[in-house]
């Protein structure tokens, strides 16, 4: 488990496959041909299909719910800035860092980033979450 303190970080890495993109499209109904149609995408600025931005952003949610703050975390807010395209086959690492923990409530502010296999930032933003009640990683001197 990752300690819940300002400066703590956690990350998770996943290679995004064509099957992931198709499953995301089916689940959300976002069947934009930019993501699914090779011929259509070939004639765009990207030259090939790109991964849905929200699929990439979902990797941040995985870190929040699995590791930092961890199981039971509730999203309150997330800002996103999409910096580079992600293509099927790219390996993305979502990284979160604790920026602030409120003293009066278990509300945590985190820097959020996603990097591709070349270390290039593809997404960045900031999240605010409600940390799980009774989180065993919190220190006795924390609120």
């Amino acid at each position: 488990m990752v300690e819940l303190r300002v400066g703590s970080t956690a990350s998770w890495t996943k290679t995004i496959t064509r099957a992931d993109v198709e499953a995301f499209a089916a689940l959300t109904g976002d069947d934009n041909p930019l993501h699914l149609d090779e011929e259509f995408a070939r004639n765009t600025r990207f030259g090939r299909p790109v991964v849905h931005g929200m699929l990439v952003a979902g990797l941040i949610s995985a870190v929040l719910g699995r590791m930092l703050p961890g199981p039971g975390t509730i999203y309150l807010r997330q800002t996103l800035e999409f910096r580079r395209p992600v293509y099927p086959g790219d390996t993305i690492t979502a990284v979160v860092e604790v920026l602030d923990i409120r003293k009066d409530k278990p509300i945590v502010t985190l820097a959020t980033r996603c990097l591709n296999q070349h270390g290039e930032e593809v997404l960045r933003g900031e999240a605010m979450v409600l940390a799980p009640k009774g989180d065993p990683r919190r220190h006795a001197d924390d609120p």
Side-chain angles (χ1 to χ4, degrees):
M1 274 202 248
V2 177
E3 188 176 324
L4 187 57
R5 284 200 173 273
V6 172
S8 294
T9 62
S11 63
W12 189 62
T13 301
K14 175 175 178 40
T15 299
I16 300 177
T17 66
R18 172 88 178 157
D20 293 329
V21 173
E22 291 170 355
F24 186 86
L27 180 66
T28 64
D30 183 352
D31 60 0
N32 182 337
L34 178 62
H35 306 300
L36 302 167
D37 185 323
E38 295 278 345
E39 186 175 333
F40 179 91
R42 193 175 6 240
N43 296 309
T44 69
R45 67 182 340 151
F46 304 109
R48 57 186 166 142
V50 295
V51 174
H52 299 79
M54 295 309 291
L55 191 161
V56 176
L59 301 181
I60 294 167
S61 182
V63 177
L64 298 175
R66 288 176 169 202
M67 295 171 254
L68 183 65
T73 295
I74 298 171
Y75 248 128
L76 299 175
R77 179 175 69 216
Q78 173 75 60
T79 62
L80 299 169
E81 180 183 343
F82 299 96
R83 314 264 305 153
R84 294 183 181 293
V86 173
Y87 301 100
D90 282 352
T91 299
I92 304 300
T93 300
V95 181
V96 302
E97 178 183 356
V98 177
L99 298 177
D100 184 62
I101 303 171
R102 281 186 41 177
K103 297 293 181 195
D104 60 330
K105 296 180 182 180
I107 294 177
V108 182
T109 303
L110 306 109
T112 57
R113 301 173 60 212
C114 290
L115 309 168
N116 66 18
Q117 65 272 17
H118 306 294
E120 299 166 325
E121 187 176 69
V122 299
L123 179 156
R124 70 176 164 202
E126 189 173 283
M128 182 178 286
V129 301
L130 182 61
K133 188 174 182 178
D135 190 328
R137 295 168 295 170
R138 293 178 66 106
H139 290 269
D141 59 338
D142 287 344

